[in-house]
Amino acid sequence: MDILRLSLIAWRDPNNHDLYVDIKRVLWISPDKHSVITISLGIKKGMPQSCSMKDLCEDLAYQRAEITTDDPFAYLHRDESSLSENERASRDRIHAVLGPLLEIHFEALLCRQKRGAFVTRIMKDHKWKKKEIYKYLRRYWQGGCVKNCFLPDWHLRGGKGKRKSCSPDKKRGRPSDAWLTNRSSDWGINVDADIRARLIKGIKEFYKDGRTFTSAFEDIKRKHFVQEMLLQNGVWVPQLWSVLPTIEQARYVYQTEFLDETKKLLNKVGRHRVNLQHRALIGNPNRLVIGPGSLYQIDATVGDIYLRSQLDPQRVIGRPVIYLVVDVFSRMIAGFAVLMEGPSWMGAMQALENAFCNKVEFCQGLGITISPNDWPCEGLPESILADNGEFLGYNAESLVQLGVPVHQAAPLRPDWKGLVERYFRTVHDRINWVPGYVHPDRDRGDPDYRLDGALTPRSLRELLVWCIQQYNLHHHLDRYPLTQAMIEDHITPYPAALWNWGVQEGSSALRAAVPDQVRACLLPRDTARVTRQGIRFKSLYYMCSTALTQQWCVKASLREWTVDVAYHPRSTKILFVCLNDGRTLEPCQLLERVNETSWQGQDLYDVEDYFKIRSIEGKVAKQSKTQRTASFVSKQEAIVEAAVQARDSHVPSISKSAQLKAIGHNKRLEQQYEQQQHVAKYLPAPQAEPGPPPPDSQDEYVPPDKPYDLLRQMRERRAAQWKNPSTPL
């Protein structure tokens, strides 16, 4: 690189290459380029020095020095409109004297032997001091030989930010109003090193957690400005100093000690809240990715909505846990999951399985028809970013078998995966009109939103599918940093458009995902029992081809055993029997005939909930049966006891053998008695028999019916009813 006039050449420290030892400005170069005149910018009273061009070139060639653009006097190159009237007047006054001289005799002033005559003439004509003239000349040469080099350094006046020393016997600052009113009162106290240290320690201790400075200052005085402790009424009471620093002094210490805004916030609200709410937003997550599938972010949150049971709509089952998986490159929601248990590996598995596999099949299970282009996310990503939660366990190692490494965000740093955190708010904003949504501004007396819940877990999944579709296809990413290639291809920043563009350009990091392999690694494992009715799992019965071929049900009639299974918590239809030590997964079919009801398409959570309620009802029924049995037995015993007492109250008048011989006769008498009692139930109520007719009556006497006449009438009515059922009995 050629050395030009006014160039800056910097020499670095051999021990620390990041530090400059000296910076020199080139003021003049001889016509034959053999000699150079420079001035050092780091020497306060430096003057121009001559050196050889050869030496400079050698330092540059051997990298002992370098040409730099880091000019310490760059602040002098200011716009004319930014200067005040006083600054321009001061600059023009100096330039009127030295400006013409520097323009005409610039080379002569650089020469030490000729410079003295010019300085003497200026001192004589303008009454300037020699020291003042050299100050202006040095400033002109070091500043870059421009007119603004004569600007005054008023910004360096006053010692701003420098701590002033004070004597202990003299009070600094204005006197207080109390001292001006009553001179006998104390003027105040100076903030020396000891008081300053006490205030700093107290501010760090008490001024935090959103407290006001006034309340924190009261605690600072009670804690750090105690003269002695006195025992009053059994309580140690602090006796404060007679003269205390004022709150204005404490604020001044706070402002001067904690000059950095980040340091102030760290002391007041803590590092965790600073990282979440006050950090600088200058990063770009696209720096970490090259295309779709390069990085997925996953996280879970509790949904702000109350759901009802799918089996019994009268039952409120609480708030769900929603998982989201987001692609960093395209901002597309690649997968989700809704479950009724806390954040766990099981919920993360459902979300990842949904993100890796085909969405058309998934939506068909919910009764929704979509095309592959509506939700094209399918395949294994290059990596996953999660928090320090469910992905720290042993189960997460199964993702390594799929070739998908998992990166963990730092503790208490959800902002490291800010995309998925922000999308939770997006999802909640799209369902805040649904009945049962949690309203934070609920007033006293308003209806309970928990009772307004109407959605079930399945219907919430259907609603979220449409919300995700709307977002992926039609949400305009206003702040997405488009690359030059995207701009040239006229890409509109929609998540689906960005995803498709990345796949077409060949920047996709996705890998093919075999559903059976994904399920083998992600589905949770459990044990099922082989019975005569089939493979029983969670009170449901299944069957597979291996069980039929090897006659498991027949063998189970002699002895039952357990097998390892892989299941899907979201559907009762998905169950796999683990064969060959878990290397093979054989699908099972749900037996509709054996199960008491149709569980096709139901959540396993609902099934477990249903059988849990059945179990509770069975225990309650068992307890009630015990009570009813006790009542039944008591009544039985009372009847038997009454019969025994009646038997024992009548002493038989004949022998035992005579009693046994009379059993047949007694049975016939009892039958006749039972018949008479049965016929009597259908006869009209008995009426009083009429007396003899008066003597003058001409009516003939009719005797009453005999018992056998009644039996004959009864037999005739029964025969008529047999022929015609509508005939009354």
Side-chain angles (χ1 to χ4, degrees), residues 601-613:
Q602 302 289 341
D603 279 14
L604 205 56
Y605 304 117
D606 293 330
V607 176
E608 291 180 325
D609 186 57
Y610 169 76
F611 283 107
K612 184 66 175 178
I613 295 175

Side-chain angles (χ1 to χ4, degrees), residues 358-370 375 465 469:
N358 187 274
K359 305 303 187 297
V360 176
E361 299 177 359
F362 167 75
C363 292
Q364 285 178 353
L366 296 175
I368 301 174
T369 302
I370 65 172
W375 201 351
V465 165
Q469 288 288 95

Side-chain angles (χ1 to χ4, degrees), residues 42-175:
I43 301 177
K44 186 176 181 180
K45 294 185 178 181
M47 296 300 291
Q49 300 290 334
S50 178
C51 65
S52 172
M53 175 68 78
K54 181 180 179 181
D55 295 340
L56 285 180
C57 293
E58 287 182 357
D59 290 344
L60 293 174
Y62 290 102
Q63 297 183 353
R64 291 189 293 267
E66 64 179 9
I67 297 177
T68 181
T69 58
D70 188 9
D71 192 351
F73 294 90
Y75 66 92
L76 294 175
H77 301 277
R78 297 168 58 186
D79 184 71
E80 193 71 16
S81 60
S82 64
L83 301 177
S84 64
E85 293 293 336
N86 293 334
E87 288 176 327
R88 283 196 291 267
S90 177
R91 179 199 62 184
D92 295 342
R93 178 181 60 84
I94 300 172
H95 184 266
V97 176
L98 298 179
L101 191 64
L102 287 169
E103 292 178 1
I104 300 174
H105 305 286
F106 182 81
E107 297 180 10
L109 289 172
L110 294 177
C111 182
R112 180 179 180 182
Q113 291 78 8
K114 301 178 181 179
R115 189 186 307 133
F118 294 102
V119 172
T120 303
R121 189 173 64 182
I122 295 173
M123 294 171 57
K124 181 178 179 181
D125 295 343
H126 301 282
K127 309 299 181 182
W128 284 6
K129 295 182 180 180
K130 182 179 180 180
K131 181 179 180 180
E132 186 178 10
I133 298 173
Y134 275 100
K135 182 185 73 171
Y136 294 143
L137 290 175
R138 187 183 303 110
R139 183 175 177 82
Y140 182 80
W141 292 325
Q142 290 179 340
C145 304
V146 293
K147 184 178 180 180
N148 280 353
C149 292
F150 299 125
L151 285 173
D153 287 335
W154 289 342
H155 62 283
L156 300 178
R157 295 181 180 179
K160 183 178 181 180
K162 297 181 180 180
R163 192 175 303 171
K164 309 299 188 300
S165 60
C166 61
S167 59
D169 55 345
K170 184 177 181 181
K171 176 66 175 68
R172 289 187 306 170
R174 66 175 181 82

Side-chain angles (χ1 to χ4, degrees), residues 30 214 242 326 342 437 474 508 529 557 565 582 592 598 677 681:
S30 63
T214 303
S242 58
V326 178
Y437 187 80
H474 306 293
S508 173
R529 193 166 191 84
S557 63
V565 295
E592 295 288 348
S598 177
Q677 293 296 324
K681 292 192 300 182

Side-chain angles (χ1 to χ4, degrees), residues 652-663:
S653 58
I654 59 177
S655 63
K656 295 180 179 180
S657 60
Q659 293 181 24
L660 296 177
K661 290 179 180 180
I663 289 178

Side-chain angles (χ1 to χ4, degrees), residues 26 202 218 274 387 454 497 527 532:
V26 178
E218 296 297 326
V274 168
D387 55 9
T527 58
R532 289 185 63 187

